[in-house]
């Protein structure tokens, strides 16, 4: 069977599992993860409940990202292309590629705006300029967006070397911030006295953790396709996600309890080292944001019918759009839609896993890309996405778009519910409604 997609990874492009793990660790070490930790402590969860939420939440994500990653490693294909086997060429292009491109561009813009605003505010403070102007924030967002975008355009090698440098630095800076925060606020005494009267519960904690990396778990195939073996996918996913995630969320929770805030850059500024805080903020955002631009570029390539030789162009387009959104302050109006994307996209994991591992038993020689719209995959994906939105309460924020408030019945974790349903439904429908593979589009060993 012939490789004809133009996206396959060549043997010389394969990377060590440590390189891939560092990409995941770089994605986890960011201010939003500290924020989620702060939300967990703010929800009244005990320290054991916080730890359990983190381990269970990231454990669930690792479970599905490993299966997607191993399939991507076998085929050498990114997620947007691999989806052609589960939804058909048109289904993958006009449903999945649009959603992935929209979500990744949006998150790139949000991260660029966050970094740009914080950089401008801290720079104005350091230079004694008072408050940062809107023009200064816009320029800062554009500059940092372009810098992050340049790294993303180098592809996996650019991500690898960025994370080799930044991840150890960020760990050291975060540890320093935590130690200083504890020292200046009698932290150990506050932690010992922490006894919340009411807890939001373990399900709440797990839901928050899963939501923080639900999209990352789905696009894992874009990076795991560079792994040398399935075993390397497993190692890179577990080692890259769980330790870094546990460290950052737990630090965020403890900092929030001790200092009243989770932002490590603000804490470092308060103890007299604002430059270090600024470096930490920029590096943390940088290592996370380049993955958004890279995956958005791959999705856009598939949407436009390009092969991966054009990924630098499409990555540049995706990042430029996100940067402009950040600079002109339009992202506030898109935040609700990006939340919706976080529930719509994870069910893609269900149909991908079902197609490769259940329908074809994990055998690459049987996996093939399909043309048109493949009904079992499209139906299963849409049903899973609907259930994910319903059970996460997403529709409560979109009552002006559809009168579906009566459907808001939160149950367990919305994205996981969507994955489970789409997986089961695709497996059943694929046996009832088998479709033909597209000629010349199967993947060979």
């Amino acid at each position: 069977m012939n490789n004809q997609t133009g996206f396959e990874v060549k043997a010389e492009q394969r990377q060590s599992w440590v390189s891939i793990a560092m990409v995941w660790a770089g994605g986890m070490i960011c201010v939003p993860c500290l924020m989620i930790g702060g939300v967990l402590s703010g929800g009244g969860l005990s320290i054991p409940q916080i730890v359990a939420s983190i381990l269970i939440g990231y454990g669930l994500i690792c479970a599905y990202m490993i299966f997607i990653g191993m399939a991507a490693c076998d085929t050498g294909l990114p997620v947007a292309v691999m989806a052609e086997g589960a939804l058909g060429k048109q289904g993958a292009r006009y449903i999945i590629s649009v959603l992935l491109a929209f979500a990744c561009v949006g998150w790139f813009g949000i991260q660029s705006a966050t970094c740009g605003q914080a950089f401008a505010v801290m720079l104005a403070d350091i230079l004694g300029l008072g408050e940062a102007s809107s023009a200064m924030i816009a320029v800062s967002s554009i500059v940092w967006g372009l810098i992050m975008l340049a790294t993303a355009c180098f592809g996996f090698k650019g991500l690898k070397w960025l994370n080799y440098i930044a991840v150890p630095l960020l760990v050291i800076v975060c540890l320093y911030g935590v130690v200083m925060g504890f020292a200046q606020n009698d932290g150990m005494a506050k932690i010992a006295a922490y006894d919340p009267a009411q807890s939001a519960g373990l399900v709440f904690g797990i839901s928050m953790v899963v939501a923080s990396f639900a999209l990352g778990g789905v696009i894992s195939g874009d990076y795991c396709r560079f792994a040398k073996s399935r075993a390397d996918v497993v190692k890179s996913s577990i080692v890259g996600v769980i330790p870094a995630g546990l460290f950052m969320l737990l630090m965020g929770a403890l900092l929030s309890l001790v200092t009243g805030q989770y932002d490590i850059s603000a804490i470092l500024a308060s103890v007299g080292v604002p430059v270090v805080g600024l470096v930490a903020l920029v590096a943390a955002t940088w290592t996370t944001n380049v993955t958004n631009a890279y995956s958005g570029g791959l999705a856009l390539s598939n949407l436009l019918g390009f092969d991966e030789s054009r990924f630098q162009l499409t990555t540049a387009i995706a990042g430029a759009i996100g940067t402009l959104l950040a600079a002109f302050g339009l992202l506030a109006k898109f935040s609700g839609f990006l939340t919706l994307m976080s529930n719509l996209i994870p069910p893609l994991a269900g149909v991908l896993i079902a197609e490769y591992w259940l329908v074809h038993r994990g055998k690459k020689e049987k996996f093939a890309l399909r043309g048109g719209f493949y009904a079992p995959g499209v139906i299963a994906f849409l049903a899973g996405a609907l259930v994910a939105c319903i059970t996460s309460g997403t529709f409560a924020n979109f009552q002006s778009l559809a009168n579906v408030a009566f459907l808001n019945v939160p149950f367990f974790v919305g994205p996981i519910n969507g994955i489970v349903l789409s997986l089961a439904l695709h497996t059943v429908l694929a046996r009832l409604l088998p479709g033909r593979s597209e000629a010349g589009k199967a993947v060979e060993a």
Side-chain angles (χ1 to χ4, degrees), residues 381-396:
F381 168 73
L382 294 177
L386 180 62
V387 166
C389 290
I390 292 172
T391 57
S392 66
T394 298
F395 285 136

Side-chain angles (χ1 to χ4, degrees), residues 102 106-107 110 325 329-341 398:
F102 187 92
W107 285 118
I110 284 181
L325 289 174
L330 299 177
L331 287 168
K333 299 179 181 179
F334 285 84
S335 59
F337 285 98
L338 292 175
T339 300
L340 179 62
M341 293 299 102
F398 294 88

Side-chain angles (χ1 to χ4, degrees), residues 2 8-9 19 26 85 120 147 188 206 284 294 304 315 329 361 366:
N2 297 318
E8 296 83 2
V9 174
S19 298
I147 291 173
M188 296 309 297
I206 296 171
Y294 180 67
L304 297 177
T315 296
R361 307 295 183 186
K366 292 186 176 182

